[in-house]
Amino acid sequence: NTQFWKIYDVFFGAIAGLSENELRVLLHMMDINKSKGGGTYNRPLTVIADEARVSVPTVNRAVKKLKKRNLIIRYWLPMEISGNRKC
C-alpha cells in the first residue's frame, strides 16, 4: 500500500529561515493535532516548551513567526456567563 503526499512550495517558503528548535515546535504542534484528530492546539507556552524540549523563548519566537507567516491562527471565542441559569 503506497501513500503519496503533496506538499506545496508555499509551505517550504513559510518554514524557510526557522531554526531547528523552531521547526521542532511546529512539528510537535502538528503531531499533537494529528493524534487528537483536529485542527486545534491549546496549550500554554511552558507546556509546549517542555513537551518539545526547547526553551519558552524559542516557543514564543516560533509562534510569532508562524502567526506572521499564516501557518497558525489564534482565535478568541466569546463566552457568555449568566449567574441565574437553571440546569
Side-chain angles (χ1 to χ4, degrees):
N1 188 1
T2 304
Q3 293 182 351
F4 293 94
W5 296 88
K6 182 172 184 173
I7 300 176
Y8 295 94
D9 289 339
V10 175
F11 178 76
F12 291 113
I15 65 170
L18 294 178
S19 72
E20 181 180 344
N21 285 340
E22 291 166 349
L23 283 172
R24 185 180 293 178
V25 171
L26 173 62
L27 293 174
H28 175 72
M29 293 171 84
M30 291 170 63
D31 190 46
I32 295 295
N33 269 336
K34 185 175 72 173
S35 68
K36 286 185 170 185
T40 303
Y41 187 87
N42 184 18
R43 293 184 191 233
L45 296 182
T46 53
V47 173
I48 298 169
D50 186 48
E51 292 175 347
R53 298 177 187 201
V54 298
S55 68
V56 173
T58 297
V59 175
N60 195 30
R61 241 185 355 265
V63 168
K64 285 180 181 179
K65 288 179 181 180
L66 295 171
K67 284 196 301 192
K68 186 176 181 180
R69 298 169 186 198
N70 294 320
L71 284 177
I72 60 173
I73 300 170
R74 184 171 194 170
Y75 288 101
W76 293 95
L77 299 176
M79 190 173 9
E80 184 176 318
I81 299 174
S82 175
N84 293 325
R85 289 185 70 144
K86 292 183 180 181
C87 296

